[in-house]
Amino acid sequence: MTSERRSIYLTTPIYYVNDKPHIGHAYTSLAADVLARWHRLSGHDVHFLTGTDEHGQKVEKAAEAKGMDPQAFTDTVSEAFRELALRMNYSNDDFIRTTEERHKLACAALWKRLEERGEIYLGHYEGWYAVRDEAFYGPDEITERDGQKFAPTGAPVEWVREPSYFFRLSQWQEKLLAFYDANPDFIAPQTRRNEVISFVKGGLTDLSISRTSFKWGVKVPGDEAHVMYVWLDALTNYITALGYPSEYEALWRFWPADVHFVGKDILRFHAIYWPAFLMAAGLPTPRRVFAHGWWTNEGQKISKSVGNVIDPLALIDEFGLDPVRFFLLREVPFGQDGDFQRKALVGRLNGELADALGNLANRTLSLIQRNCEGVLPAPAAVAAEADIAFLAATGHADAPGSPAWLAAKVGALLNEQKFDAALTLVFASIREANGYITREQPWALKKTDLARMRDVLRHLHDALRVFATLLQPFMPQTMEKLLDQLAVPAGARQLAALATPLPEGAALPPPSPLFQKIQDVAA
């Protein structure tokens, strides 16, 4: 079931602490969490990182608006992101803050390395800067509306002139294009890759990487009048967490990252600046940057001014954690924009979770309780003709000890970040199982063929074990409950364990509902 054990490194962006978490933050981290959990089930060594980006002019201004010291402000808001990670049941191995001393040391080390290699020089910056984006924009990217100039993101820009250190980004244009060509899977999905390549082909200019007009940031080594550009600071977090600048730390084995999960609005920084910084420093580049889309709310763009920001913690309170986790990755292909609709969440919860999976589990386990004395029947000696198609559709091994195809297919889809397709596949098998129990009617077989009844119930139990095992990364709490009800030992919940049938005779606890249906479907 598993390939050779290997190290897997997955990251979320480190979230900017100028406001409280919203559904976009929850969505990005959820994708990373599901993939991390899947790799652990596969027997891999996983390091999963998330955290907060706490420097820059935008944070300084937000703290000032609150009448707070920037450090006290970031301490408060960072805790909200820690709380989100706990409430969403993320399995992150580390939570990094850019105000930590380990991070300041890593930033200084990377700066010195770039400086020693001739990649940084001192000059003056003059151009358009968006405080909201913490980004500089070229004249050709600026639009004007009602006398105000704006970046392509819609953020207002201001003309800035100040001393600045520069990174020789222009010298990396052709090298980046060659890198993209040699690594076609580095940027995903394909539409985002095309956008990045088009941007780079349009020409790169040297990048201003320090500021003197504010103080809240990592000091430039040897010139403390300057603080580092927030994106050089922020991106460095991915190697800080692995022990950089010591490339001999135990965690350094995880570099390069397998996937950086980001929103599409910050793809440029991760797919252009970050590999250029790393190549210039002589460090390995990440294997993939995946940029997902944005959510709207009932067809409307999400906006604080409109008042339609979606609070993930409120969703959990109303619908339960695992239904929310399931819905966010089931509803929309990862990488595309999606529209959050309450009725769609209710429909998924009631239809797929409660009716399809929950009802199947409750019917099967209740029948085993009543008709098999609550004890797991023996595996069928020979599959009946009526069982063959069902066994194939529900991911059973083709031969003793062979990997279940369903697990292999789900893994392949998750490795391409096709979360919705993986769930679609599993729930197609769940529908097959519901069709099977309806056709075979094990409740009626008790009167006519006890041996056949036991075989049918054992096949259904085996199928539920497969479903519960594969769905653990998406709904860990609920699938733990289901695996408990199936009497699957804690040591037999990895993917590799699916190749070994459970022994007969295990006592199954009385079943209890996995999901609560929602009756009120008001928008």
Side-chain angles (χ1 to χ4, degrees):
M1 181 65 64
T2 60
S3 57
E4 182 181 349
R5 185 176 181 88
R6 59 192 179 95
S7 297
I8 301 290
Y9 186 30
L10 304 169
T11 73
T12 74
I14 48 171
Y15 299 114
Y16 214 51
V17 295
N18 64 316
D19 209 344
K20 69 178 186 177
H22 55 66
I23 194 170
H25 304 117
Y27 185 54
T28 318
S29 294
L30 176 59
D33 179 59
V34 167
L35 193 55
R37 288 176 180 274
W38 179 265
H39 279 296
R40 293 191 192 103
L41 284 181
S42 302
H44 297 150
D45 192 11
V46 176
H47 195 73
F48 167 26
L49 176 70
T50 189
T52 45
D53 177 8
E54 303 182 13
H55 288 134
Q57 190 174 8
K58 186 162 56 173
V59 169
E60 189 175 75
K61 288 191 172 185
E64 184 180 331
K66 295 278 188 181
M68 297 177 70
D69 170 77
Q71 186 63 60
F73 174 79
T74 57
D75 288 346
T76 300
V77 185
S78 180
E79 277 304 308
F81 284 89
R82 284 187 187 272
E83 175 68 12
L84 176 68
L86 290 171
R87 291 287 304 279
M88 288 292 295
N89 195 19
Y90 299 144
S91 59
N92 52 293
D93 299 285
D94 194 0
F95 186 101
I96 191 167
R97 298 180 59 188
T98 58
T99 50
E100 294 177 50
E101 192 61 29
R102 60 170 172 165
H103 181 67
K104 295 173 185 177
L105 292 172
C107 288
L110 182 61
W111 182 285
K112 290 175 184 175
R113 188 161 176 161
L114 291 170
E115 198 169 42
E116 288 166 0
R117 295 166 74 98
E119 299 291 345
I120 293 175
Y121 65 91
L122 181 61
H124 278 78
Y125 178 77
E126 189 169 8
W128 296 107
Y129 183 76
V131 173
R132 193 182 82 187
D133 299 342
E134 300 279 11
F136 300 97
Y137 293 97
D140 58 329
E141 297 181 275
I142 303 302
T143 57
E144 185 168 350
R145 219 169 42 247
D146 300 325
Q148 170 71 60
K149 290 183 168 55
F150 295 91
T153 60
V157 295
E158 58 187 35
W159 188 261
V160 173
R161 188 182 192 283
E162 60 182 281
S164 176
Y165 286 92
F166 286 82
F167 171 71
R168 298 185 191 278
L169 184 64
S170 60
Q171 295 187 4
W172 290 92
Q173 179 173 332
E174 295 306 318
K175 294 172 187 175
L176 281 168
L177 291 172
F179 171 72
Y180 302 146
D181 187 57
N183 298 275
D185 295 329
F186 174 67
I187 303 169
Q190 184 68 35
T191 52
R192 303 298 168 210
R193 169 181 160 84
N194 295 341
E195 289 172 7
V196 168
I197 290 174
S198 176
F199 181 85
V200 174
K201 284 182 175 178
L204 296 178
T205 58
D206 288 352
L207 180 67
S208 172
I209 56 169
S210 75
R211 302 292 305 278
T212 58
S213 57
F214 63 93
K215 300 299 180 185
W216 184 241
V218 179
K219 304 297 185 185
V220 168
D223 191 348
E224 295 200 352
H226 292 250
V227 295
M228 292 185 195
Y229 174 43
V230 70
W231 275 105
L232 176 58
D233 164 2
L235 291 163
T236 304
N237 94 92
Y238 300 126
I239 55 177
T240 298
L242 301 184
Y244 184 82
S246 171
E247 292 165 27
Y248 303 98
E249 291 287 329
L251 288 177
W252 190 253
R253 71 187 185 278
F254 287 102
W255 189 258
D258 290 86
V259 187
H260 287 320
F261 286 94
V262 301
K264 65 181 182 180
D265 54 324
I266 57 172
L267 176 60
R268 180 187 300 184
F269 309 106
H270 285 81
I272 300 174
Y273 299 170
W274 185 223
F277 293 154
L278 290 167
M279 288 190 286
L283 296 172
T285 54
R287 294 188 173 95
R288 170 172 285 195
V289 176
F290 197 107
H292 66 75
W294 290 338
W295 286 89
T296 53
N297 187 354
E298 304 287 351
Q300 275 193 313
K301 183 178 179 181
I302 293 175
S303 166
K304 283 194 295 184
S305 60
V306 174
N308 65 344
V309 175
I310 301 170
D311 180 354
L313 302 186
L315 290 181
I316 293 170
D317 290 340
E318 182 174 5
F319 296 103
L321 172 58
D322 281 351
V324 170
R325 286 175 58 107
F326 171 80
F327 173 78
L328 290 177
L329 291 179
R330 175 73 176 92
E331 186 69 6
V332 180
F334 197 70
Q336 296 182 17
D337 291 341
D339 185 36
F340 176 87
Q341 295 184 4
R342 176 189 166 87
K343 66 179 181 182
L345 197 164
V346 171
R348 296 283 187 197
L349 171 53
N350 288 349
E352 290 181 314
L353 297 183
D355 287 342
L357 177 55
N359 192 41
L360 174 69
N362 194 62
R363 293 169 79 191
T364 299
L365 294 174
S366 294
L367 286 166
I368 293 175
Q369 283 293 320
R370 291 197 302 268
N371 302 325
C372 304
E373 299 178 337
V375 170
L376 181 63
V382 179
E385 186 70 27
D387 300 336
I388 293 174
F390 164 68
L391 293 175
T394 52
H396 285 60
D398 298 321
S402 71
W405 73 266
L406 185 59
K409 183 66 174 174
V410 168
L413 290 168
L414 292 182
N415 282 331
E416 296 177 11
Q417 288 75 64
K418 295 180 178 178
F419 300 99
D420 68 305
L423 288 170
T424 297
L425 189 67
V426 174
F427 274 80
S429 291
I430 291 171
R431 285 197 300 274
E432 289 285 345
N434 276 295
Y436 177 75
I437 193 172
T438 300
R439 289 193 307 273
E440 297 304 317
Q441 300 183 12
W443 52 88
L445 287 171
K446 183 179 182 181
K447 301 175 183 176
T448 59
D449 191 339
L450 281 174
R452 175 65 183 156
M453 178 200 72
R454 293 190 188 97
D455 284 353
V456 168
L457 290 175
R458 176 59 194 238
H459 289 323
L460 286 164
H461 182 283
D462 288 347
L464 283 165
R465 179 193 177 195
V466 172
F467 303 148
T469 300
L470 302 188
L471 291 172
Q472 286 178 96
F474 295 91
M475 297 180 285
Q477 291 179 348
T478 309
M479 292 308 103
E480 180 182 18
K481 181 179 177 182
L482 177 53
L483 288 164
D484 287 344
Q485 293 184 27
L486 293 167
V488 178
R493 298 182 181 187
Q494 298 286 95
L495 297 179
L498 290 176
T500 304
L502 295 178
E504 65 179 288
L508 274 59
S512 59
L514 299 175
F515 303 100
Q516 295 296 325
K517 295 179 79 168
I518 301 293
Q519 302 303 324
D520 175 17
V521 296

